[in-house]
């Protein structure tokens, strides 16, 4: 049999690092397939071209395949997510003007979500005009995370601040031109804002919700069903790339690869910030070792509880009606069963459960695993809330009554 | 004959392509066609023209912005969804392959939208073909200039006439199994290196 060749779509984001490493470092080849990477210009194109089969697989925003299965997208082709491409890796950046108002309101510049949110809330209450924030797509971790941070800081999204959508590479410029006051985006576009447009990083995803999901590999369900062996190879190649990228000694090499014109086309110095966890917020450099977690803490495992958290936020912000059928569709999008099956040949530990609670662990902790011991990282939300997938309805109800 | 009373909005950063599509639609009897080149103007234009069908090119990075705008129901009177019919996969596929995406207001009949979509798709394809042909013509012209220059060098240094110089180039290319223009380019490079 000839070696399968997969076409894969991606956007210029550091989150595409595992896909790129699978190609550049030969992990795809080791798993018996080759990858043709196509850089796209919008998430809408990624979504449509994956749904139509122009791409076999794509780097997707983790909520995108869920949105497709819930009927929120134009092309009704069922999608699945069998592997995640790491945890964390984005941040919220504000303009120099907004930062100076936040600093006056007591923001310390330590990149922690609590104090930064409190200062922003004061600016929003007393400021002369409605602020405008940008996110990369409606059904994105960025949108939900920004809204979570605002709401938990006492700011009502849409009513108190406007939220608009722009693709990642255009956000820094829009902020520099004054058409945005802030944005939530993956790296390197926060650091680009800081170095090129005098912006300041207000807080990071790792502080809003520790060790939380962001991007994934998405694909059509029918394609995956027809090609189970290839899907298993994609999962393992992603896992191998993640394992390699997790090692501190490989981070600079990964930054060099990603900095190339074909991928990010940015200086290595900018790209390496997120990869080394040395985040320069514009005020000071802060060391955030868990800014991006490619592999540790079962970072590549598609937790059904994460799918349900995204679903809860889709309900919260009025994108979808609450109901057991929709919750089931959302949970079924993530495929831990395929992940475990693919990993069986690698002899590595995998989580035994498909669901877990979030927000209840302040420290690294052991979980039930097959084939060895497995430790997950801390998982706290900055407001101290706990998400229990077994009690989904009351989580949603509590959030919606607070909004 | 269609009742050409639908309002159509074209969003394309490529002005030439936008006007080719606009012209096609006008020729087909659609008089209410608006064209903008920047998604940022979309709010104002939609308020003014209340389009039934909106086209945007797929290279446009602001497609996400446009879709989000559509999803804010208060921005427009009737919801706009992508494509005329979710079930019409072939039509969607043809459009995406041509590099265009279409958004249609809710409740509009498929028969009324199809000729407009067909028109946009065929004009998009025609534009790509035109661009490709132009590119080919341009590179053919470049190649002829290179070959002419190489011929000139041979004529001068070996005292040959033009057909002889050309025959020599051609023979060398055939012997080395390389393209004529590549041999000519090597000759020019060598002449520049060795020349005064």
């Amino acid at each position: 049999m000839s070696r399968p060749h997969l076409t894969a779509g991606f956007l210029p984001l550091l989150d595409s690092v595992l896909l790129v490493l699978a190609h550049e470092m030969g992990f795809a080849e080791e798993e018996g397939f080759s990858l043709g990477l196509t850089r796209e210009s919008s998430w809408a194109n990624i979504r449509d071209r994956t749904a139509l089969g122009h791409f076999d697989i794509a780097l997707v925003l983790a909520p995108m395949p869920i949105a497709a299965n819930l009927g929120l997208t134009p092309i009704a082709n069922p999608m699945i997510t069998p592997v995640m491409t790491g945890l964390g890796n984005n941040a919220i950046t504000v303009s120099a003007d907004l930062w100076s108002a936040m600093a006056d309101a007591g923001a310390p510049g330590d990149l922690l979500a609590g104090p930064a949110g409190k200062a922003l809330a004061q600016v929003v209450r007393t400021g002369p005009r409605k602020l405008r924030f940008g996110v990369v797509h409606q059904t994105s971790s960025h949108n939900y995370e920004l809204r979570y941070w605002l709401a938990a800081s006492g700011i009502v999204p849409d009513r108190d601040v406007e939220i608009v959508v722009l693709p990642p590479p255009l956000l820094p410029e829009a902020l520099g031109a004054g058409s945005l006051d802030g944005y939530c985006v993956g790296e390197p576009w926060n650091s680009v804002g800081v170095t090129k447009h005098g912006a300041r990083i207000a807080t990071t995803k790792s502080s809003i919700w520790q060790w939380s999901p962001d991007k994934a590999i998405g694909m059509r369900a029918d394609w995956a069903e027809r090609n189970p062996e290839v899907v298993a190879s994609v999962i393992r190649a992603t896992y191998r790339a993640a394992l390699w990228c997790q090692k501190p000694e490989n981070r600079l090499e990964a930054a060099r690869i990603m900095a190339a014109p074909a991928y990010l086309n940015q200086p290595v110095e900018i790209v390496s910030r997120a990869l080394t966890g040395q985040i320069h917020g514009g005020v000071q450099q802060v060391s955030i070792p868990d800014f991006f977690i490619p592999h540790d803490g079962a970072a590549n495992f598609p937790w059904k509880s994460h799918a349900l958290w995204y679903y809860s936020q889709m309900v919260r912000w009025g994108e979808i009606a609450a109901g057991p059928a929709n919750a089931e569709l959302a949970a079924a999008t993530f495929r831990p069963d395929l992940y475990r099956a693919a990993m069986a040949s690698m002899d590595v530990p995998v989580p035994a459960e498909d669901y877990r609670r979030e927000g209840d662990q302040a420290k690294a902790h052991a979980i039930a695993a097959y084939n060895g011991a497995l430790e997950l990282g801390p998982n706290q939300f900055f407001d101290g809330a706990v998400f229990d997938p077994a009690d989904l309805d009351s989580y949603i109800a509590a959030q919606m009554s607070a909004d | 004959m269609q009742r050409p009373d639908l309002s159509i909005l074209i969003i394309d950063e490529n002005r030439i392509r936008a006007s080719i599509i606009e012209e096609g639609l006008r020729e087909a009897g659609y008089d209410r066609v608006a064209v903008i080149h920047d998604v940022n103007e979309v709010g104002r234009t939609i308020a003014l023209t209340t389009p039934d069908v909106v086209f945007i090119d797929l290279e446009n990075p602001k497609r996400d912005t446009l879709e989000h705008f559509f999803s804010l129901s208060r921005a427009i009177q009737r919801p706009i969804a992508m494509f005329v019919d979710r079930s019409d996969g072939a039509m969607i596929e043809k459009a995406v392959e041509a590099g265009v995406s279409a958004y249609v207001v809710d409740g509009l009949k498929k028969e009324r939208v199809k000729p407009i979509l067909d028109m946009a798709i065929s004009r998009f394809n025609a534009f790509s073909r035109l661009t490709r042909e132009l590119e080919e013509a341009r590179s053919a012209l470049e190649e002829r200039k290179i070959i002419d220059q190489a011929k000139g060098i041979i004529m001068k240094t070996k005292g040959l006439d033009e057909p002889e110089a050309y025959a020599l180039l051609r023979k060398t290319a055939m012997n080395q199994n390389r393209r004529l223009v590549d041999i000519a380019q090597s000759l020019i490079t060598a002449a520049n290196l060795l020349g005064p």
Side-chain angles (χ1 to χ4, degrees):
Chain A
M1 201 184 100
S2 69
R3 243 161 48 118
H5 178 78
L6 305 193
T7 54
F10 73 100
L11 283 200
L13 279 167
L14 191 52
D15 300 300
S16 55
V17 63
L18 300 189
L19 198 54
V20 170
L21 289 176
H23 173 62
E24 294 276 348
M25 299 296 298
F27 299 115
E29 193 135 329
E30 268 177 54
E31 288 297 335
F33 68 97
S34 60
L35 265 178
L37 298 175
T38 302
R39 187 165 71 180
E40 261 300 345
S41 55
S42 68
W43 285 116
N45 280 10
I46 292 270
R47 178 198 66 202
D48 295 344
R49 299 190 69 189
T50 308
L52 290 174
H54 293 190
F55 299 139
D56 298 312
I57 62 172
L59 180 86
V60 296
L61 298 157
M64 273 169 69
I66 300 170
N69 294 343
L70 289 171
L72 294 177
T73 57
I75 304 166
N77 251 347
M79 306 285 294
I80 63 160
T81 293
V83 62
M84 310 296 285
T85 54
L87 304 170
N89 214 10
N90 66 53
I92 295 169
T93 292
V94 299
S95 70
D97 284 352
L98 176 51
W99 177 257
S100 108
M102 284 171 66
D104 289 347
D110 56 5
L111 306 189
L112 291 180
K118 205 173 148 205
L120 179 64
Q122 191 180 321
V123 174
V124 166
R125 267 195 309 275
T126 57
R129 64 180 177 88
K130 195 169 174 178
L131 298 172
R132 181 189 281 172
F133 280 78
V135 295
V136 299
H137 191 73
Q138 185 160 354
T139 51
S140 65
S141 306
H142 315 72
N143 187 26
Y144 304 135
E145 162 192 333
L146 174 68
R147 285 169 181 270
Y148 190 99
W149 179 59
L150 294 172
S153 301
I155 302 163
V156 180
D158 304 324
R159 189 196 75 186
D160 298 342
V161 299
E162 187 186 353
I163 296 175
V164 299
V165 171
L166 264 186
L170 299 189
L171 286 166
E173 240 170 84
L175 187 103
S179 41
L180 291 178
D181 300 295
Y183 56 74
C184 180
V185 72
E187 276 291 272
W189 306 109
N190 297 287
S191 296
V192 168
V194 169
T195 49
K196 284 207 183 135
H197 301 284
R200 302 280 184 268
I201 298 177
T203 187
T204 64
K205 179 179 175 70
S206 56
S207 180
I208 295 170
W209 179 14
Q210 298 170 300
W211 294 57
S212 56
D214 190 61
K215 303 282 191 321
I217 303 289
M219 57 188 73
R220 278 166 301 140
D222 61 343
W223 180 86
E225 212 159 291
R226 286 196 309 275
N227 300 282
E229 290 304 315
V230 182
V231 174
S233 305
V234 168
I235 296 169
R236 285 192 295 267
T238 309
Y239 183 97
R240 288 181 199 279
L243 194 62
W244 185 88
C245 190
Q246 185 67 47
K247 294 188 178 125
E249 66 267 28
N250 292 335
R251 296 291 179 103
L252 264 183
E253 176 63 15
R256 266 195 293 274
I257 291 170
M258 287 309 292
Y263 302 119
L264 298 178
N265 198 19
Q266 293 290 331
V268 177
E269 189 275 316
I270 300 278
V271 177
S272 65
R273 292 182 182 189
L275 278 167
T276 55
Q278 299 302 316
I279 306 300
H280 204 301
V283 179
Q284 55 176 322
Q285 183 168 308
V286 181
S287 178
I288 306 177
D290 59 358
F291 182 84
F292 172 49
I293 304 141
H295 177 266
D296 281 354
N300 309 113
F301 184 77
W303 292 94
K304 283 182 178 287
S305 43
H306 283 166
L308 284 180
W309 187 81
Y310 286 125
Y311 159 78
S312 76
Q313 301 307 291
M314 289 176 182
V315 172
R316 180 183 190 181
W317 304 114
E319 292 168 3
I320 191 84
N326 280 344
E328 177 49 37
L329 275 173
T333 310
F334 280 26
R335 296 294 299 275
D337 56 322
L338 296 182
Y339 181 93
R340 283 196 202 96
M343 285 300 128
S345 65
M346 279 186 73
D347 200 27
V348 292
V350 291
E353 309 282 347
D354 290 348
Y355 297 86
R356 65 186 229 218
R357 280 153 63 95
E358 294 287 340
D360 62 343
Q361 299 286 341
K363 288 185 193 150
H365 55 286
I367 56 160
Y370 297 126
N371 212 12
L374 207 49
E375 199 174 67
L376 298 195
N379 62 18
Q380 288 185 311
F381 292 92
F382 84 100
D383 62 345
V386 172
F387 171 70
D388 184 351
D391 203 3
L392 191 59
D393 292 341
S394 57
Y395 182 77
I396 293 172
Q399 284 188 334
M400 291 185 73
S401 68
D403 295 336
Chain B
M1 179 77 194
Q2 291 293 318
R3 284 169 303 160
D5 54 350
L6 294 176
S7 171
I8 302 160
L9 172 62
I10 300 162
I11 306 166
D12 196 338
E13 287 174 339
N14 188 318
R15 285 162 192 271
I16 298 170
R17 185 169 53 201
S19 59
I20 288 174
I21 296 158
E22 182 186 10
E23 187 195 80
L25 290 167
R26 287 194 188 279
E27 275 170 16
Y30 296 98
D31 294 324
R32 298 170 60 201
V33 183
V35 178
I36 57 173
H37 307 292
D38 190 335
V39 171
N40 291 343
E41 297 166 42
V42 79
R44 198 158 36 90
T45 316
I46 283 185
L48 282 174
T49 66
T50 56
D52 302 291
V53 181
V54 180
F55 290 111
I56 184 167
D57 65 292
L58 289 189
E59 295 148 36
N60 199 316
K62 291 192 186 154
R63 248 189 97 196
D64 292 301
T65 310
L66 184 71
E67 289 190 1
H68 183 244
F69 179 81
F70 290 154
S71 78
L72 303 172
S73 53
R74 66 176 178 281
I76 35 176
Q77 290 161 336
R78 286 186 290 170
I80 298 188
M82 190 184 166
F83 300 111
V84 58
D85 187 344
R86 273 164 151 263
S87 62
D88 196 349
M91 176 64 93
I92 296 174
E93 180 120 30
K94 267 201 291 185
V96 172
E97 262 158 25
V100 62
S101 137
Y103 300 85
V104 179
V105 292
D106 200 22
L108 203 55
K109 282 216 162 47
K110 190 173 167 179
E111 306 84 79
R112 297 191 66 200
V113 185
K114 192 169 180 304
I116 304 175
L117 284 179
D118 284 339
M119 164 69 70
I121 290 169
S122 78
R123 291 264 158 160
F124 252 81
N125 283 331
F127 181 80
S128 309
R129 209 161 46 234
L130 207 71
T131 316
R132 207 166 46 236
E133 281 166 9
L134 195 68
E135 197 47 51
E136 281 166 10
R138 196 175 287 149
S139 77
L141 192 68
E142 280 304 308
E143 288 184 5
R144 219 179 59 210
K145 274 192 202 155
I146 291 167
I147 292 165
D148 282 346
Q149 203 186 337
K151 268 191 305 194
I153 294 168
I154 297 174
M155 286 157 72
K156 206 170 130 195
T157 52
K158 301 199 82 165
L160 300 176
D161 65 13
E162 196 180 328
E164 288 169 337
Y166 184 75
L168 182 61
L169 267 178
R170 225 179 88 109
K171 201 174 122 217
T172 313
M174 280 167 70
N175 286 347
Q176 296 191 13
N177 201 18
R178 289 168 67 194
R179 290 173 68 223
L180 190 63
V181 65
D182 295 337
I183 296 290
Q185 185 61 61
S186 313
L187 183 72
I188 295 165
T189 309
N192 284 342
L193 280 173
L194 301 171

